[in-house]
């Protein structure tokens, strides 16, 4: 089921998420809903707090080639266990901050440990767009947005524009 995405500024997007203690059918359904929501948006990553669930779960699929099969990854309690000193700069966007983008510098490569939906411990290295995406989504679990990595003036400008966007959305709902 596609779920509504929260828009910045929403206090839930700034909260630290709690670890998932038990992988239940409800958790697997949440993962399916998150993937459906992400693909419909369309996006390449989504964290649970973006749909109002303050649990440490993210989904992503950075397969961008048109003829490539989808490659969805669900991570429960993801944790970066290693990162390169070398960095990459990507222009990042976010489903919770639509229409706004900024260049963010992050480690070029990361190693991530997580639990999958079957309760299996996983560990994998990521680079390029995958590395940027997984770091961006893990930031969400820690109450951090990509705009927290940019200058104060640009961050304030984006926040003001998002406040206006949310007011306009609310007015449209009332009509």
């Amino acid at each position: 089921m596609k779920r509504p995405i929260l828009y910045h500024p929403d206090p839930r997007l700034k909260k630290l998420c709690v670890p998932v203690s038990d992988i239940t059918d409800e958790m697997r359904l949440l993962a399916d809903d998150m993937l459906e929501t992400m693909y419909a948006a369309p996006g390449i990553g989504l964290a649970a707090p973006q749909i109002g669930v303050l649990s440490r779960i993210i989904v992503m699929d950075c397969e961008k080639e048109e003829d490539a099969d989808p490659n969805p990854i669900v991570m429960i309690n993801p944790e970066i266990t290693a990162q390169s000193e070398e960095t990459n700069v990507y222009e990042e966007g976010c489903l919770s901050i639509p229409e706004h983008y900024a260049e963010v510098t992050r480690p070029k490569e990361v190693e991530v440990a997580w639990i999958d939906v079957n309760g299996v411990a996983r560990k994998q290295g990521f680079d390029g767009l995958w590395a940027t995406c997984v770091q961006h989504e893990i930031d969400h679990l820690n109450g951090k947005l990509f705009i927290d990595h940019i200058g104060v003036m640009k961050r304030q400008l984006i926040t003001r524009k998002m406040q206006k966007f949310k007011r306009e959305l609310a007015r449209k709902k009332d009509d």
Side-chain angles (χ1 to χ4, degrees):
M1 173 180 78
K2 186 172 166 259
R3 300 205 192 184
I5 294 172
L6 301 179
Y7 294 121
H8 168 71
D10 184 299
R12 291 168 287 186
L13 294 171
K14 300 302 280 177
K15 299 253 191 256
L16 182 65
C17 293
V18 296
V20 174
S21 56
D22 199 17
I23 298 169
T24 61
D25 287 342
E26 184 182 337
M27 190 59 51
R28 284 187 269 282
L29 184 61
L30 171 64
D32 289 344
D33 288 355
M34 288 174 63
L35 283 167
E36 184 177 337
T37 303
M38 177 192 77
Y39 286 128
I44 61 169
L46 186 72
Q50 291 180 274
I51 58 167
V53 177
L54 299 179
S55 296
R56 295 187 76 79
I57 179 170
I58 65 172
V59 299
M60 59 184 210
D61 184 349
C62 298
E63 208 52 68
K64 308 248 320 169
E65 300 300 317
E66 277 192 38
D67 57 345
D69 290 330
N71 186 14
I73 298 177
V74 176
M75 296 182 173
I76 299 168
N77 300 333
E79 187 180 320
I80 295 170
T81 55
Q83 62 188 39
S84 64
E85 287 186 29
E86 190 179 353
T87 59
N88 244 356
V89 177
Y90 267 100
E91 185 175 67
E92 293 188 27
C94 181
L95 296 177
S96 292
I97 311 174
E99 311 284 318
H100 295 282
Y101 305 90
E103 288 191 343
V104 177
T105 302
R106 297 183 185 271
K108 183 178 185 207
E109 298 175 27
V110 292
E111 183 180 82
V112 181
W114 75 93
I115 308 293
D116 70 15
V117 291
N118 299 313
V120 177
R122 304 267 182 188
K123 188 179 250 189
Q124 184 176 333
F126 297 94
D127 64 5
L129 182 59
W130 285 91
T132 295
C133 185
V134 75
Q135 291 172 82
H136 176 113
E137 299 310 329
I138 290 173
D139 271 359
H140 275 297
L141 303 181
N142 296 320
K144 213 169 179 186
L145 302 172
F146 83 91
I147 60 172
D148 294 324
H149 292 279
I150 63 175
V152 135
M153 298 293 279
K154 187 163 186 183
R155 180 170 57 245
Q156 289 173 342
L157 177 67
I158 289 172
T159 298
R160 282 195 299 277
K161 286 181 177 179
M162 286 302 301
Q163 288 167 330
K164 183 180 177 192
F165 171 75
K166 287 177 73 171
R167 281 193 303 272
E168 289 169 2
L169 273 182
R171 264 198 294 279
K172 284 179 186 172
K173 272 188 191 166
D174 292 342
D175 289 346

